[in-house]
């Protein structure tokens, strides 16, 4: 398990660069994150967190990566992982990778308890970035979980 953003955790930075080349922080001071060709802006009422399972041919065990825009989003993603472990294993398989973008709804009121699945960004996260990015407004999630 690897928790924290790339500026606070060198191992997270290394995993992002090596295993998740499609995820890039564009503006660390503002919390803007780019996944594939989409920008996700920081929203205090619904900050984002990436939850990924990375596996390499040389690794006997997977690494779960939790990289949020705030500390409470990291806690929320770990709770999401623990409470949905079996469902995630059925959906993605025990030996397969995945990358999910989650949003924590109103963390100042609900803490890490209300989490929404924004998108399965597996393909984009594991693929190197290309040209220009489109903008994604906070609050227009793909689906709730």
């Amino acid at each position: 398990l690897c928790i924290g953003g790339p500026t606070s955790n060198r191992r997270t930075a290394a995993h992002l660069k090596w295993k998740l080349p499609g995820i890039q922080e564009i503006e660390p001071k503002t919390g803007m994150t780019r996944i594939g060709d989409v920008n996700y802006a920081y929203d205090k009422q619904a900050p984002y967190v990436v939850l990924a399972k990375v596996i390499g041919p040389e690794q006997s065990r997977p690494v779960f990566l939790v990289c949020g825009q705030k500390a409470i989003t990291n806690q929320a993603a770990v709770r999401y992982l623990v409470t949905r472990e079996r469902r995630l294993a059925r959906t993605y398989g025990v030996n397969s990778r995945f990358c999910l973008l989650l949003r924590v709804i109103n963390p100042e009121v609900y803490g890490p308890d209300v989490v929404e699945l924004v998108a399965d960004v597996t393909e984009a996260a594991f693929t190197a970035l290309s040209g220009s990015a489109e903008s994604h407004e906070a609050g227009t999630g793909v689906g709730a979980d």
Side-chain angles (χ1 to χ4, degrees):
L1 185 62
C2 187
I3 300 175
T7 57
S8 65
N9 185 332
R10 291 186 331 204
R11 186 165 286 182
T12 298
H15 283 310
L16 287 172
K17 185 175 180 179
W18 182 39
K19 296 288 188 176
L20 297 159
I23 299 177
Q24 177 182 336
E25 264 193 339
I26 295 175
E27 299 176 32
K29 291 181 182 179
T30 63
M32 178 73 75
T33 300
R34 179 179 177 184
I35 302 175
D37 291 331
V38 181
N39 289 331
Y40 296 92
Y42 175 74
D43 177 357
K44 183 179 179 182
Q45 295 301 311
Y48 294 104
V49 58
V50 169
L51 171 61
K53 178 182 173 186
V54 296
I55 299 173
E58 70 291 332
Q59 295 172 307
S60 61
R61 298 181 190 178
V63 173
F64 288 95
L65 179 74
V66 176
C67 184
Q69 291 180 323
K70 296 180 69 170
I72 199 161
T73 60
N74 294 335
Q75 183 181 5
V78 171
R79 283 186 181 189
Y80 185 94
L81 175 63
V82 169
T83 60
R84 292 164 178 83
E85 177 184 11
R86 287 188 177 134
R87 186 180 326 165
L88 291 168
R90 280 192 308 269
T91 301
Y92 298 101
V94 176
N95 298 317
S96 297
R97 63 189 186 176
F98 65 79
C99 186
L100 305 176
L101 182 66
L102 308 172
R103 181 172 40 215
V104 182
I105 307 302
N106 205 348
E108 290 184 12
V109 174
Y110 300 115
D113 295 330
V114 182
V115 179
E116 176 183 62
L117 173 63
V118 175
D120 178 333
V121 293
T122 302
E123 186 176 333
F126 288 96
T127 305
L129 292 172
S130 60
S132 64
E134 71 179 71
S135 184
H136 179 78
E137 297 295 323
T140 59
V142 172
D145 191 26

